[in-house]
Amino acid sequence: MDSMSKEKPCEADPESLAPTPEHGFGGYSVTEVGHHVITLSDGTDLAARIYLPCELDETRNLPPVFAAFQGRYHRYTRTTVRQEKTGDKAGAGPARFPVLLEALPYYKDGYTYPRDFSRHTWFASHGFVSVRVELRGSGSSGGVILGEYLPRELADLAELAGQFRAAEWSNGKVGLYGKSWGGFTSLQLAYYQSHHARYQVFDTAVSLYSSDDRYNEDIHYVRGAVRAREFLPWSAQMLAWNARPPPPRYEHSRSKWEETWRDRLRKAGKSWLSSWLQHQDEDDEFWVHGSVKHDYNRVTIPLLVVGGLEDGYKTSIFRMSQNLNPASKFIIGPWVHNWPDVSPAGPRIDFLNLCLEWFTSHLKDGPSTDTWPRLRLYVRDSFKVGQLYEQDDLGRYVSFKDIVPHLEAPNVRGLLAEIAATEAPQNLKRGASIFLKETTDTVRVLFSPELVSKIEMKVHPLQGYRPGCFYSFGSLGDTCWDQSSALRHSLTFGTGQLGQDLVLLGDIYFLVAVSSSCGWKERQYVYVQLCDVFQDGEAVQIARAGYDLTRQTAFHTLEERGEGNGTKNLGTSPATSRVYLLQMTFASHCISVGNELVVSVAPSGFPFIWPSCSNSTLSFLPHHSCILFKRFTTSQIGELEVEDQLAFQPPLPLVKAPKIKILPGSETYTEEEAENGYHRTVMKSDWGKYGLPSTEITDHEITEVVMEINPECTYARVREDKKLYLEFGGVAFEEGRSVSVTVETSQTMEGGYDSYILHESLSVKEGGKAFWEEKWTDVIPRETCDWS
């Protein structure tokens, strides 16, 4: 058994800090409206927390619509930050402000409140009305939420923005701002502006950790295979959060509060697993909706799009930098799925002032951002995983003024001919099974002719060992650890120790030739990795790909008899081998001299991807395979570093909202062999118990995730159990006393070759008494293709 653990210490944050010059606040005082209700045209109320750049006692000098923000629940309105009447506000006439809009399906009064407070307060002090809205069906907003990024969600936000633009206090401009879900929403609203006039209400957006491809570059699928590590856990997270009640402090009637809560559970109290599994095809409209890659030209407003090397959305960010409008700019830093000024993987940057420059330019007619580089990119040098969260000097930033020179998908027929004509160098390193062939523009990784022409690949449950999480926050279970165990159980090919640094930057293609023992009559998966391997054997992943080959188009087939260099039409004989062009994840890495580039190929990659569960055997044909990427020399990287004209400053300290940790949190990560022979991974996470005095909510969340696969990789199971303990204070219908709520969920997804089987349950208690109980089971067929 292999286990890791880490304790999250118990701590108490101070009361809300008064800003000092180091916090970089602007000249406006800030009023926080803790709960404001905005009614949409269909009668649905959306709840929002709004940060105003003014004092409460100054609202009499502003237009009545602006003063109305104090309205419905004025007892939750307070002056958060008080500034002297100096700075950019002094001498101003009637104020007109742009709006920053962040929309999420998470409690505005819950765990996001401290981070919302820090950021929205800061923007408001610089003269923006900063709004954090709860999506329909979440938090205190009316209606129900039935899935991710649905047309109803986007239409709601467009209508809301239209109201803001038309307000007397507004300068008529609205900017979108968000990370992850909020980043997706921002990107998609920009995309749909060209679809309908009602969406043409946004002027710019800052989008972090978002995707232009909802099917392949999110937590659901990748190239036809289910992402086992994230698929069920993300659904489980949303099932539990969506089962929470509307915060009762804003209701004056217990019966109405319970009715609203029950109606939400009745209509939206199921997980989203089943709906995702009912749409297994990439071209299904379910996934096409909101996927910007289908027409980049529809995005006409300028976007600032941000990604991180330790986050799964980096490939989408790089692709968008190649395709979105010229006014948009892109940054890919070293970060995890967290804000660039607090990410545990650094260096961190002054992200607030970066956003301020962007929004000032596009919402206040400030200095232009046209001079910014098209892409700012962090290039990592060789590092060990243990250094990732300990050191900030693991690479350097480079900047590209224009679109990055990138590698177009190669012509497969021509590439096969070149592979056949290429001879291995006479001085091929001892023990090396791959070698590099450089041209002016590309680097090709070719396989040694001394290898046998056909290598059978055997499945093993450790071939996808410790793959990390797509949306990593840097926890034990999120991190992609040393991959040496995965390499030991896969086909591996190495260069031997490199005599000079090797830069991998941008798109990477793997032309892979394979044959199937079943004549392509069964489902076949492949999992490939590129790793930077140190002399002590530690393997750090650079790029990877997981594919359901039987859902892809084979570019050619190869005769298994004879020399095997000829090609003929797909599907003429089941005995032929097939050639596929796989696109791997984006890379930004420099392998140091003395380290080794290692390629691994395997027929399974659980839990990165769900196993194919096929009983047939896949074989690898190295003499018809190669890896291809754009050539960058270290001197070129050095020149790009010197040309970097947008130096990032260190992050500002954040003004904190009060947050009291009552019980410490902890996390453990264990790998073990179960009694039934299954390989089992167990991840336990206790967020700790904490209280938010400002919103009178106490929260405690505990999660256990178990992932199992049998030795033959023909059956897999993922289970998550989650418990939420909430206490709501200051409840009017309880005469100011608290209300306690417990939410417990259990979800299991398992299956073999033919189907996915779902077992799910939801239990909700209020005041220790049962409020809602439900269990359900679904069996969903795994879709098949005409593979032969």
Side-chain angles (χ1 to χ4, degrees), residues 39 184 186 226 238 274 325 337 341 359 373 566 583 647 673 744 755:
T39 303
F184 271 77
S186 300
V226 167
M238 292 308 299
S274 179
N325 63 66
H337 194 76
D341 48 8
F359 285 132
Q583 185 167 4
E673 295 301 322
E744 295 188 34
S755 61

Side-chain angles (χ1 to χ4, degrees), residues 284-463:
D284 193 307
E285 179 57 31
F286 186 89
W287 305 111
V288 172
H289 165 74
S291 291
V292 177
K293 72 169 188 176
H294 293 289
D295 191 352
Y296 292 105
N297 291 327
R298 287 182 172 178
V299 179
T300 57
I301 63 173
L303 307 180
L304 176 60
V305 187
V306 179
L309 294 180
E310 298 307 310
D311 182 69
Y313 297 106
K314 60 189 176 187
T315 301
S316 284
I317 309 299
F318 182 74
R319 185 169 53 244
M320 286 190 280
S321 77
Q322 310 289 326
N323 292 285
L324 285 180
N325 63 66
S328 294
K329 307 297 180 181
F330 303 84
I331 301 170
I332 303 176
W335 313 301
V336 300
H337 194 76
N338 209 337
W339 302 97
D341 48 8
V342 296
S343 166
R348 306 180 183 104
I349 65 169
D350 180 3
F351 188 64
L352 287 175
N353 268 308
L354 191 75
C355 291
L356 178 62
E357 289 181 42
W358 184 265
F359 285 132
T360 299
S361 174
H362 297 284
L363 301 179
K364 291 186 174 183
D365 299 322
S368 173
T369 57
D370 288 347
T371 58
W372 288 21
R374 175 67 170 182
L375 172 66
R376 291 289 315 284
L377 175 62
Y378 196 78
V379 181
R380 275 230 174 88
D381 295 322
S382 291
F383 70 95
K384 293 196 171 185
V385 178
Q387 299 175 288
L388 191 58
Y389 307 125
E390 303 295 334
Q391 294 180 220
D392 282 347
D393 57 350
L394 301 178
R396 81 301 302 267
Y397 276 103
V398 298
S399 64
F400 295 88
K401 294 179 180 178
D402 301 306
I403 292 176
V404 181
H406 67 289
L407 184 66
E408 298 288 350
N411 178 281
V412 173
R413 183 185 295 271
L415 189 54
L416 283 170
E418 291 178 23
I419 294 171
T422 301
E423 296 182 0
Q426 293 183 350
N427 59 346
L428 186 64
K429 291 181 181 178
R430 187 178 212 173
S433 49
I434 54 176
F435 61 94
L436 307 179
K437 184 72 173 179
E438 296 188 4
T439 67
T440 304
D441 298 321
T442 63
V443 176
R444 293 171 189 174
V445 181
L446 300 168
F447 293 82
S448 169
E450 296 180 5
L451 294 168
V452 297
S453 60
K454 182 178 178 180
I455 309 172
E456 182 179 297
M457 294 192 285
K458 298 183 182 297
V459 297
H460 193 282
L462 291 181
Q463 287 167 339

Side-chain angles (χ1 to χ4, degrees), residues 250 256 299 331-332 335 404 469 516 585 635 736 747:
Y250 304 123
K256 182 180 178 183
V299 179
I331 301 170
I332 303 176
W335 313 301
V404 181
C469 181
S516 171
T585 51
S635 61
Q747 290 180 276

Side-chain angles (χ1 to χ4, degrees), residues 497-515:
Q497 293 182 18
L498 294 172
Q500 60 183 15
D501 292 347
L502 177 64
V503 177
L504 292 90
L505 193 160
D507 296 323
I508 301 174
Y509 290 96
F510 192 165
L511 187 73
V512 60
V514 287
S515 65

Side-chain angles (χ1 to χ4, degrees), residues 67-221:
F69 275 129
Q70 298 176 61
R72 192 162 166 187
Y73 296 106
H74 63 275
R75 74 186 182 95
Y76 302 111
T77 302
R78 64 196 178 103
T79 301
T80 298
V81 177
R82 189 178 297 275
Q83 299 280 15
E84 297 297 326
K85 297 178 176 62
T86 58
D88 59 353
K89 182 183 170 186
R96 295 291 183 270
F97 300 104
V99 173
L100 301 183
L101 178 61
E102 181 181 21
L104 295 170
Y106 320 131
Y107 272 14
K108 63 179 176 61
D109 292 352
Y111 86 96
T112 70
Y113 174 69
R115 67 144 216 200
D116 296 342
F117 177 91
S118 298
R119 298 176 190 282
H120 289 282
T121 300
W122 194 89
F123 287 128
S125 79
H126 287 276
F128 297 87
V129 174
S130 203
V131 181
R132 161 64 163 90
V133 68
E134 292 174 318
L135 296 177
R136 178 187 293 251
S138 67
S140 298
S141 291
V144 293
I145 183 168
L146 300 174
E148 302 167 305
Y149 327 122
L150 300 180
R152 178 72 267 174
E153 171 190 331
L154 303 181
D156 287 350
L157 297 177
E159 182 179 341
L160 184 63
Q163 291 190 29
F164 287 141
R165 287 177 74 96
E168 294 180 35
W169 48 264
S170 171
N171 74 349
K173 294 187 177 182
V174 177
L176 293 158
Y177 170 77
K179 174 177 77 70
S180 195
W181 191 303
F184 271 77
T185 301
S186 300
L187 180 63
Q188 291 175 30
L189 284 167
Y191 178 59
Y192 282 111
Q193 284 203 125
S194 63
H195 286 56
H196 197 284
R198 69 181 178 185
Y199 289 102
Q200 296 170 9
V201 289
F202 302 103
D203 297 277
T204 189
V206 173
S207 174
L208 293 86
Y209 313 126
S210 58
S211 175
D212 62 348
D213 184 348
R214 291 188 54 226
Y215 183 86
N216 289 305
E217 303 288 347
D218 198 5
I219 54 82
H220 312 97
Y221 295 90

